[in-house]
Amino acid sequence: MRHPSYAIADADLAMLTDLYQLTMLQAYWVEGLQERATFSLFYRRLPATRRFMLACGQQYAAELATRLHFNDAHLASLAETGQFRDDFLAWLGQWRFTGDIWTLPEGTPVFENEPFMEVDAPLAEAQLLESLVMNLVQLETVIASKAVRVVLAAGDRPVMDFGLRRMHGIDAAVRGVRAYRTAGLAGTSNVLGGLRHEMPLSGTMAHSYILAHDDEEAAFAAFARHYPGTTLLVDTHDTLAGVAKVIALMDADPEIRVGAIRLDSGDLGTLAREARTRLDAAGYPEVRIVASSGLDEWKIAELVAAGAPIDAFGVGTEMGVSSDAPVIDLSYKLVEYAGTPRLKHSPGKINLPCRKQLYRRQDAEGRYAGDIIALRDEPGIEGEALLRPLVRSGQVADDEMALAEGARERVTAALRCMPESLLRMEAGHADYPVELSPALARLRSSS
Amino acid sequence: MRHPSYAIADADLAMLTDLYQLTMLQAYWVEGLQERATFSLFYRRLPATRRFMLACGQQYAAELATRLHFNDAHLASLAETGQFRDDFLAWLGQWRFTGDIWTLPEGTPVFENEPFMEVDAPLAEAQLLESLVMNLVQLETVIASKAVRVVLAAGDRPVMDFGLRRMHGIDAAVRGVRAYRTAGLAGTSNVLGGLRHEMPLSGTMAHSYILAHDDEEAAFAAFARHYPGTTLLVDTHDTLAGVAKVIALMDADPEIRVGAIRLDSGDLGTLAREARTRLDAAGYPEVRIVASSGLDEWKIAELVAAGAPIDAFGVGTEMGVSSDAPVIDLSYKLVEYAGTPRLKHSPGKINLPCRKQLYRRQDAEGRYAGDIIALRDEPGIEGEALLRPLVRSGQVADDEMALAEGARERVTAALRCMPESLLRMEAGHADYPVELSPALARLRSSS
């Protein structure tokens, strides 16, 4: 039989686009509209439960842009749609990205209307990147921006990703781990994701392991003998009875070492306190407590605030789909064409024309004091210029940037520089100032 | 430089698992726990804004199970983790799925606690499928179950998928189209997704096309000449002024054919009525109106109920991530091992032991009257048996089923058989009866 396949090769990603990009490209080609254009990638509105987003995925996506092209099989498929001329398809077969791409380094906190990425290229090149770049950047940005909140809530307790089974498909599960690494998680249960994105693998045991044994004691004993220092899941039948069995097991055999117990249901705070008391009383203060089961940043913050003796958190569902804010309204807008500013009229929305740069100011203590969105070459703007040229004339100009190395360290450093109002868990936004430069403000008001 | 890659080959999917599956497998292997097990895939609770789910992805996933295996590179990576014995890894290299998989046909409406899929196999084979099967089934089930509501709300007006840019990554975007086809959408803007999953491609134009021209009139004229019968996007500057320009264009050149206009912002109902009036008054009743911009099933139902003269809908963000219910709480539970029922204790939750079958009864008019969850071989249960053997002894037993052909037609037929209370848009659940068979009810109460 013909096998259905899940695989999507990098070589096919040029075809992961909206049909209108290709019909517009053909129209541009017929009309000779091939002047240089700038498209800007940004989002308009923070979700109600985010105080900043972490810009992620854009360096990786920019590198991919330099490799996109259409092969003969793609061109044949497009010909079959009946919408494309042969001479256009021949031209499309030669399509390569020859422009420049400026991006924020991955892991940079980013606010409303600030450019993540600007693409300067002949119109048909910059246009074609739209759908794919938005898809790629949206996933990692949404996942990392949720995950960093979970990390913040957990404080110095490590957080592990247990979300593979709930994330939206294969690519989200694997590339999600990349976003988790950037956000500062300590480990992942996802084998392929962890190996590919260099994240420590972590795992305990499932209820099925317990149930496959005739009794819980036998299951605990067997697993602890296989994996000295392992974590035992204690809630299959009754959590505190499970804790008692773990204690009895260690009492009976001093050779057995249990690293932690995992609580996966019930009132985690109360159960953790009870379990801690019993473990300590039995002389096992070194056995740690891991909690999982429907956790998100608010539940973790509550457990931490209540002083629940939980040493590490496993988080899946809510973080894996960023369930309270599964999308951001990313836009990829034409802002300049043939040297002139371009601007869509959008009542109540801010559209910023022209090639731009983003500056971030720090106060004397190194704390972020505010951002300025300016024209790319506007002189005299204070602060650190955050957009950097990653691709020049279709070539990766900075290998290290293309791999987005240092993204995790960038997040750690940024969290230290953020005003406290940006780090709060409650819904609602902070008063972080984002201003327009004088030249950009003039352009906006005149257009 | 080393290229970061997005591609995930089918051959690597055995590694898309949680670490604990592999550590449990090693423990089972060391302990000689290799009796036959049954795992059951189901969800516990309907989201508040769903009245049924469409079971999707499980046939495709079952077929994949017959192809999963670990190659030498995988085994070498696992060896490097330091958690696995060489003799176990040698055994893992021989791991193949040799069991049976029963599934609901894709597109079957499914309710709380009903099995989507049951896997009967030696313990280590059935265990390993857990993480991957849940990931695969969750994506398509969540997306199709949202999309079918959008289709229901739109009634006889076609719905197009415009969601590629907002979906969670590459696989979600491509395989989402498969779910959309099952749910009854009319087309997709996603080129790779549409070609791979045989869904008609659909597309209009973007604001950037308008903005790349010196004026809107010139852009409309050029695009309509390239693509006779096309759809023109009229809201770049002012929607009704845009409509007037389309009318003027058609008046000025009788050769020009415009198929539709697209409204993408503002009050879609009011704008559609105004646009319809002007097009009709100008003698263009055949020009259709397409609406997009933040649509979901509730907004569409409202537009339809208000009689808005909209002929087709383009839906992206909300449908593409199923934003109101981006996950379901799928479980894959061990229900039988070595011939004995297995049951986790979960206060307030229903766990159904043993191999099962799902029956659906229809009344005299063919309308669904209720479901019965029974033991697999329990005699005398009324209704159609819905779980079918797709894989037998590790081989696909039914090619047609593995490809899930007919899923779309199955949904169409099911919608006709559903009681009206299941088809409503409001939050809240219908009183659709799902009962346990006598033998299953006895087993539950005795366990």
Side-chain angles (χ1 to χ4, degrees):
Chain A
M1 66 168 286
R2 166 166 67 94
H3 289 313
S5 175
Y6 291 86
I8 300 168
D10 284 10
D12 286 333
L13 290 177
M15 292 287 274
L16 190 54
T17 190
D18 289 302
L19 180 65
Y20 74 11
Q21 309 291 4
L22 297 174
T23 51
M24 288 191 287
L25 252 62
Q26 178 168 258
Y28 293 149
W29 179 77
V30 171
E31 297 170 52
L33 290 175
Q34 298 297 353
E35 297 290 317
R36 209 156 171 94
T38 296
F39 282 77
S40 188
L41 182 74
F42 61 96
Y43 69 90
R44 293 187 190 282
R45 291 184 64 80
L46 268 175
T49 47
R50 298 287 177 278
R51 287 164 182 249
F52 62 92
M53 300 298 288
L54 286 182
C56 290
Q58 68 276 9
Q59 288 175 265
Y60 218 49
E63 189 280 335
L64 178 68
T66 66
R67 291 187 281 134
L68 287 180
H69 70 279
F70 295 86
N71 64 28
D72 290 345
H74 301 147
L75 299 176
S77 303
L78 292 175
E80 277 179 34
T81 67
Q83 305 214 37
F84 301 102
R85 295 164 46 161
D86 289 345
D87 48 3
F88 167 71
L89 290 175
W91 175 87
L92 192 65
Q94 303 300 315
W95 185 100
R96 294 293 184 281
F97 185 78
T98 67
D100 301 339
I101 305 180
W102 292 60
T103 78
L104 298 183
E106 296 199 25
T108 302
V110 62
F111 300 92
E112 294 177 356
N113 301 305
E114 295 184 345
F116 284 52
M117 172 190 264
E118 292 206 329
V119 178
D120 308 317
L123 180 58
E125 296 178 18
Q127 179 77 62
L128 186 66
L129 301 189
E130 179 176 27
S131 312
L132 182 59
V133 161
M134 287 177 74
N135 174 285
L136 297 175
V137 173
Q138 142 101 10
L139 171 67
E140 290 197 49
T141 296
V142 163
I143 299 296
S145 301
K146 175 71 171 180
V148 73
R149 290 171 56 82
V150 175
V151 170
L152 279 168
D156 52 6
R157 295 161 190 82
V159 177
M160 271 93 65
D161 158 37
F162 288 176
L164 155 60
R165 62 191 62 191
R166 306 287 192 200
M167 297 179 81
H168 280 195
I170 296 168
D171 176 47
V174 173
R175 206 143 45 83
V177 174
R178 185 173 185 273
Y180 289 143
R181 189 187 60 180
T182 301
L185 262 70
T188 178
S189 65
N190 179 334
V191 176
L192 186 60
L195 292 174
R196 186 173 288 199
H197 296 299
E198 295 171 18
M199 179 84 143
L201 297 181
S202 155
T204 61
M205 66 190 340
H207 298 114
S208 51
Y209 181 82
I210 306 287
L211 293 172
H213 288 75
D214 291 330
D215 57 65
E216 202 173 21
E217 289 89 341
F220 286 164
F223 210 72
R225 288 206 177 87
H226 299 314
Y227 304 106
T230 192
T231 299
L232 297 175
L233 176 64
V234 293
D235 75 324
T236 304
H237 302 296
D238 175 284
T239 299
L240 295 175
V243 174
K245 289 175 195 167
V246 172
I247 291 171
L249 174 66
M250 294 186 292
D251 284 346
D253 183 351
E255 296 280 286
I256 283 197
R257 287 196 302 108
V258 175
I261 59 167
R262 173 158 76 103
L263 313 176
D264 190 43
S265 54
D267 177 342
L268 297 173
T270 305
L271 290 171
R273 257 183 296 272
E274 280 295 326
R276 184 74 274 153
T277 302
R278 296 177 192 203
L279 286 164
D280 289 351
Y284 302 107
E286 75 286 2
V287 174
R288 303 191 319 142
I289 298 178
V290 180
S292 55
S293 175
L295 292 173
D296 59 25
E297 66 270 43
W298 296 288
K299 290 181 188 159
I300 289 176
E302 208 176 293
L303 288 165
V304 168
I310 294 170
D311 302 288
F313 295 99
V315 186
T317 307
E318 304 298 322
M319 186 170 70
V321 296
S322 182
S323 57
D324 59 318
V327 279
I328 41 166
D329 61 343
L330 271 183
S331 290
Y332 180 88
K333 292 288 176 198
L334 179 68
V335 293
E336 187 169 320
Y337 180 63
T340 18
R342 303 284 160 150
L343 208 53
K344 179 180 175 300
H345 173 71
S346 309
K349 294 180 183 172
I350 296 174
N351 283 310
L352 301 173
C354 298
R355 301 192 304 144
K356 291 178 288 295
Q357 178 57 281
L358 175 64
Y359 296 87
R360 182 154 294 161
R361 291 178 297 115
Q362 292 177 265
D363 66 17
E365 284 79 46
R367 202 155 292 255
Y368 295 157
D371 296 353
I372 300 174
I373 311 174
L375 295 184
R376 181 87 55 84
D377 304 313
E378 189 173 348
I381 309 295
E382 213 189 321
E384 186 190 3
L386 297 179
L387 284 170
R388 300 188 207 162
L390 197 161
V391 173
R392 293 272 202 195
S393 303
Q395 304 291 322
V396 169
D398 184 336
D399 279 6
E400 198 185 319
M401 255 200 95
L403 291 170
E405 281 170 7
R408 183 189 183 100
E409 294 69 27
R410 189 170 300 112
V411 172
T412 310
L415 295 178
R416 267 193 244 108
C417 297
M418 280 187 166
E420 183 276 333
S421 61
L422 285 174
L423 302 177
R424 285 194 210 133
M425 289 294 124
E426 310 94 87
H429 299 159
D431 277 333
Y432 184 78
V434 177
E435 291 161 29
L436 302 186
S437 69
L440 192 56
R442 271 195 303 278
L443 255 173
R444 259 202 89 210
S445 57
S446 70
S447 60
Chain B
M1 69 170 282
R2 166 167 68 95
H3 289 314
S5 175
Y6 291 86
I8 300 167
D10 284 9
D12 287 332
L13 290 177
M15 293 285 276
L16 190 54
T17 191
D18 289 301
L19 181 66
Y20 74 11
Q21 309 293 1
L22 298 174
T23 51
M24 287 191 288
L25 252 60
Q26 178 167 257
Y28 293 149
W29 179 78
V30 171
E31 297 169 52
L33 289 175
Q34 298 297 353
E35 297 290 317
R36 210 155 172 95
T38 297
F39 282 76
S40 189
L41 182 74
F42 61 96
Y43 70 90
R44 293 187 190 281
R45 292 184 63 81
L46 267 175
T49 48
R50 299 287 178 278
R51 288 166 181 247
F52 62 92
M53 300 298 286
L54 286 182
C56 290
Q58 69 275 10
Q59 289 175 265
Y60 219 49
E63 190 280 335
L64 177 69
T66 67
R67 290 186 281 134
L68 287 180
H69 69 279
F70 295 87
N71 63 30
D72 291 344
H74 302 147
L75 299 176
S77 304
L78 293 175
E80 278 178 34
T81 67
Q83 306 214 36
F84 301 102
R85 297 163 46 159
D86 289 346
D87 48 1
F88 167 72
L89 290 176
W91 175 87
L92 193 64
Q94 302 301 315
W95 185 101
R96 295 293 185 280
F97 185 79
T98 67
D100 301 338
I101 304 180
W102 292 60
T103 78
L104 298 182
E106 296 198 26
T108 301
V110 61
F111 301 92
E112 293 176 356
N113 301 305
E114 295 184 345
F116 284 52
M117 172 191 263
E118 291 206 330
V119 178
D120 310 317
L123 180 59
E125 298 178 17
Q127 179 77 61
L128 186 65
L129 302 189
E130 178 176 28
S131 313
L132 182 59
V133 161
M134 287 176 75
N135 174 284
L136 297 175
V137 173
Q138 142 103 9
L139 171 67
E140 290 198 49
T141 295
V142 163
I143 299 295
S145 301
K146 175 72 171 180
V148 73
R149 291 171 55 83
V150 175
V151 169
L152 279 167
D156 52 6
R157 295 161 189 82
V159 176
M160 269 93 64
D161 156 39
F162 288 175
L164 156 59
R165 62 191 62 191
R166 305 287 191 200
M167 297 179 82
H168 281 196
I170 295 168
D171 175 47
V174 172
R175 206 145 42 85
V177 174
R178 186 173 185 271
Y180 289 144
R181 189 188 60 179
T182 300
L185 262 71
T188 179
S189 64
N190 179 333
V191 175
L192 185 60
L195 291 174
R196 185 174 287 198
H197 296 299
E198 295 171 16
M199 180 83 141
L201 297 180
S202 155
T204 62
M205 66 190 339
H207 298 114
S208 51
Y209 182 82
I210 306 288
L211 293 171
H213 288 76
D214 291 329
D215 57 65
E216 203 173 21
E217 290 89 340
F220 286 164
F223 210 74
R225 286 202 180 90
H226 299 314
Y227 303 108
T230 194
T231 299
L232 297 175
L233 176 63
V234 294
D235 76 324
T236 305
H237 302 295
D238 175 285
T239 299
L240 295 175
V243 173
K245 288 175 195 167
V246 173
I247 290 171
L249 174 68
M250 295 187 291
D251 285 347
D253 184 350
E255 295 279 286
I256 282 195
R257 286 194 304 108
V258 175
I261 59 167
R262 174 157 77 103
L263 315 176
D264 190 43
S265 56
D267 176 341
L268 297 173
T270 304
L271 290 171
R273 257 184 295 273
E274 279 295 324
R276 184 75 275 154
T277 302
R278 294 176 193 204
L279 286 165
D280 289 351
Y284 302 106
E286 75 287 2
V287 175
R288 303 191 320 144
I289 298 177
V290 179
S292 54
S293 175
L295 291 173
D296 60 24
E297 67 269 43
W298 297 288
K299 289 182 188 160
I300 290 176
E302 206 176 295
L303 289 166
V304 167
I310 293 170
D311 302 289
F313 296 99
V315 186
T317 307
E318 304 299 322
M319 185 170 70
V321 295
S322 183
S323 57
D324 59 319
V327 278
I328 42 168
D329 62 342
L330 271 183
S331 290
Y332 179 88
K333 291 289 176 200
L334 179 68
V335 293
E336 188 170 321
Y337 180 63
T340 18
R342 303 284 160 152
L343 206 54
K344 177 180 178 299
H345 173 71
S346 309
K349 294 178 182 173
I350 296 175
N351 283 311
L352 301 173
C354 300
R355 300 192 305 146
K356 290 178 289 296
Q357 178 55 280
L358 175 64
Y359 295 86
R360 182 154 292 161
R361 290 178 297 114
Q362 293 178 266
D363 67 15
E365 284 80 46
R367 202 155 294 253
Y368 294 157
D371 295 354
I372 300 175
I373 311 174
L375 296 183
R376 181 88 56 82
D377 303 314
E378 188 174 349
I381 309 295
E382 213 188 325
E384 187 191 2
L386 297 179
L387 283 171
R388 300 187 206 163
L390 197 162
V391 174
R392 292 273 202 193
S393 303
Q395 303 292 321
V396 170
D398 184 335
D399 279 6
E400 199 184 318
M401 255 199 96
L403 291 169
E405 279 170 7
R408 183 189 183 99
E409 295 67 29
R410 189 170 301 112
V411 172
T412 311
L415 295 178
R416 268 193 242 108
C417 296
M418 281 187 165
E420 183 275 335
S421 61
L422 286 174
L423 302 177
R424 284 192 212 136
M425 289 293 123
E426 309 95 88
H429 298 161
D431 278 331
Y432 183 78
V434 177
E435 291 162 30
L436 302 186
S437 70
L440 193 56
R442 271 194 303 277
L443 256 172
R444 259 202 88 211
S445 56
S446 70
S447 59

